[in-house]
Amino acid sequence: MKDKFAFQHFTIRQDHCAMKVGTDGVLLGGWSAMTVSNAEPQPIYRILDIGTGTGLIALMMAQSFPSSKVDALEIDPDACSQAIDNVKHSPFFSQVNVIEGSLQSFCLSETSPFYDLIVSNPPFFAYDHSLKSPDEKRDKARHTSTLSYKELFMGVKLLLAPHGLFCAIIPSEVSENFITEGYFSGLVLNRKCMVRTVEGKTPKRCLLAFSRQRKSPLEDTVENMMTRDGHPTEWWSRLTRDFYLDSSMTK
């Protein structure tokens, strides 16, 4: 695994972060930016990245929305330190504020603002449904013991602006449970995009966009990252064209 990835406008170092740069982060960052751009125009002043890890998605948001302020929340001290360093050495250091702490604690702060856009690549495995990995930090980052779906949506509901959008990426096999929890919290699903790594294969990831009210009929799509002969699809190329993507991340 590489210790760093170079994108067009910033470099992500990840030697001290349990969850490394991967396709999920790039998918969420690119899709969120494209989804907001294609939606009814609303000013994006404040953005929250829940579980920022290396800071990748937060930096993608800062690049996509130059007038915004981005708060990047991370519970793991080592990952938080890594994100701070990545932000510090990027052109977007004045836009991004990395905050160490849990979403649960952050929501209790009297100074917590409302956000026009919230993004998250959340923990997605429950302990009783998935084997724990030998890496304790990676295990903590991937499992819902530190942030359940219910707690995530409760936090989003408290922090999302009236016109705001919440975008997340989830493995396809748990997407229905995630969507159900969103509805229980009072949020409405506006967009759902199932993603295949290769055309013809079973979708592995699901991109979702929620809001407080229905903005338009549900947009339900299936997209492919790569064609059968191994070439990037037009959709994947459009999603990532503003960000350098190392070829190893498309596999």
Side-chain angles (χ1 to χ4, degrees):
M1 177 65 70
K2 293 183 178 181
D3 284 341
K4 64 179 181 179
F5 276 99
F7 291 82
Q8 282 186 25
H9 299 290
F10 55 84
T11 296
I12 294 294
R13 296 184 180 278
Q14 56 180 5
D15 48 313
H16 298 302
C17 191
M19 293 305 295
K20 308 300 184 184
V21 170
T23 305
D24 283 8
V26 177
L27 270 169
L28 179 60
W31 187 76
S32 298
M34 189 167 66
T35 294
V36 171
S37 298
N38 291 342
E40 182 178 340
Q42 290 282 357
I44 302 296
Y45 297 121
R46 299 299 300 259
I47 300 173
L48 175 65
D49 177 17
I50 300 172
T52 196
T54 61
L56 168 62
I57 299 171
L59 287 168
M60 292 178 74
M61 293 298 95
Q63 178 185 326
S64 300
F65 304 100
S67 299
S68 68
K69 293 293 184 181
V70 183
D71 287 334
L73 188 63
E74 175 55 51
I75 193 173
D76 179 70
D78 290 336
C80 187
S81 177
Q82 186 102 78
I84 289 172
D85 189 61
N86 286 331
V87 168
K88 179 182 177 182
H89 291 93
S90 80
F92 311 107
F93 64 90
S94 63
Q95 277 181 261
V96 182
N97 177 36
V98 180
I99 303 167
E100 183 180 340
S102 68
L103 176 62
Q104 297 91 326
S105 297
F106 185 69
C107 287
L108 298 177
S109 171
E110 294 181 359
T111 59
S112 296
F114 287 112
Y115 293 94
D116 306 299
L117 175 62
I118 299 177
V119 293
S120 184
N121 178 8
F124 46 76
F125 287 130
Y127 281 120
D128 56 349
H129 293 146
S130 172
L131 293 175
K132 295 170 67 175
S133 73
D135 187 326
E136 184 178 350
K137 287 188 176 181
R138 178 175 168 82
D139 183 68
K140 183 178 180 181
R142 296 173 74 235
H143 289 76
T144 59
S145 61
T146 55
L147 183 66
S148 67
Y149 295 161
K150 182 177 181 179
E151 291 171 319
L152 173 61
F153 276 106
M154 285 177 62
V156 169
K157 184 73 180 294
L158 287 171
L159 298 171
L160 193 65
H163 63 273
L165 200 66
F166 169 49
C167 296
I169 184 168
I170 284 290
S172 56
E173 64 266 28
V174 298
S175 60
E176 290 307 312
N177 290 339
F178 192 80
I179 292 168
T180 299
E181 200 62 63
Y183 280 121
F184 283 157
S185 76
L187 297 181
V188 177
L189 182 65
N190 281 277
R191 288 178 173 81
K192 177 183 178 183
C193 179
M194 302 295 285
V195 182
R196 300 187 185 103
T197 53
V198 178
E199 184 182 1
K201 289 193 173 183
T202 302
K204 296 294 186 183
R205 290 293 183 264
C206 183
L207 291 156
L208 301 165
F210 296 84
S211 62
R212 291 186 180 275
Q213 343 180 3
R214 173 74 65 196
K215 295 178 180 290
S216 59
L218 175 64
E219 182 182 292
D220 193 346
T221 60
V222 180
E223 300 288 355
N224 305 302
M225 293 169 56
M226 307 292 287
T227 63
R228 293 177 187 272
D229 54 1
H231 296 292
T233 62
E234 181 182 349
W235 178 81
W236 178 237
S237 298
R238 182 161 40 95
L239 203 72
T240 59
R241 65 187 174 192
D242 293 332
F243 314 99
Y244 175 83
L245 186 65
D246 188 280
S247 60
S248 65
M249 293 168 60
T250 64
K251 294 181 170 51

